[in-house]
Amino acid sequence: QVQLVESGGGLVQSGGSLRLSCAASGYIFSFYNTYTMDWYRQAPGKQRELVARITSGGGTNYADSVKDRFTISRDNAKKMVFLQMNRLKPEDTAVYYCKVYGSDYWGQGTQVTVSS
């Protein structure tokens, strides 16, 4: 069974920080280090959007809206991917999901709410 489980969401004031985690389990992750991993988010009434991506080699990409505020990282030994979110803004409020790039494997999401 393939599972992606996100955690770390919550309520934070504008300007604050949160660190999201995503733990992977299942047979396909025997070679977790070979997968590119994504963080997406979906705000109420909006389409799901890609926030950050990290390749197997550690290369990263970010949406313009989060550049210089968010940092994606991974721990291959623990089969985890992280999203450090700093200087949070109310417009960052959304459900955040991790995903295996190029697949239909999604986590259940974790809610991030930023109050002004």
Side-chain angles (χ1 to χ4, degrees):
Q1 184 180 2
V2 175
Q3 271 197 313
L4 294 166
V5 180
E6 300 96 337
S7 61
L11 173 64
V12 64
Q13 286 189 332
S14 181
S17 298
L18 284 173
R19 187 185 191 223
L20 305 184
S21 300
C22 172
S25 62
Y27 70 95
I28 72 163
F29 295 118
S30 296
F31 300 99
Y32 179 80
N33 59 307
T34 66
Y35 290 102
T36 292
M37 299 297 297
D38 295 336
W39 280 101
Y40 279 76
R41 68 185 180 187
Q42 187 166 21
K46 294 189 176 181
Q47 286 192 331
R48 199 169 290 191
E49 64 171 348
L50 177 64
V51 174
R53 172 171 290 160
I54 186 165
T55 69
S56 58
T60 58
N61 294 99
Y62 298 93
D64 287 343
S65 58
V66 307
K67 272 180 186 175
D68 300 323
R69 298 189 299 122
F70 290 11
T71 302
I72 189 171
S73 60
R74 64 191 298 162
D75 183 333
N76 289 330
K78 296 181 179 178
K79 298 182 182 178
M80 296 187 73
V81 63
F82 307 97
L83 188 67
Q84 177 66 44
M85 306 186 295
N86 297 327
R87 304 199 310 276
L88 282 160
K89 304 175 181 180
E91 51 263 43
D92 295 318
T93 294
V95 179
Y96 284 71
Y97 302 88
C98 65
K99 180 183 180 292
V100 179
Y101 171 77
S103 80
D104 289 328
Y105 296 119
W106 293 85
Q108 83 290 346
T110 185
Q111 176 70 48
V112 172
T113 303
V114 185
S115 63
S116 56

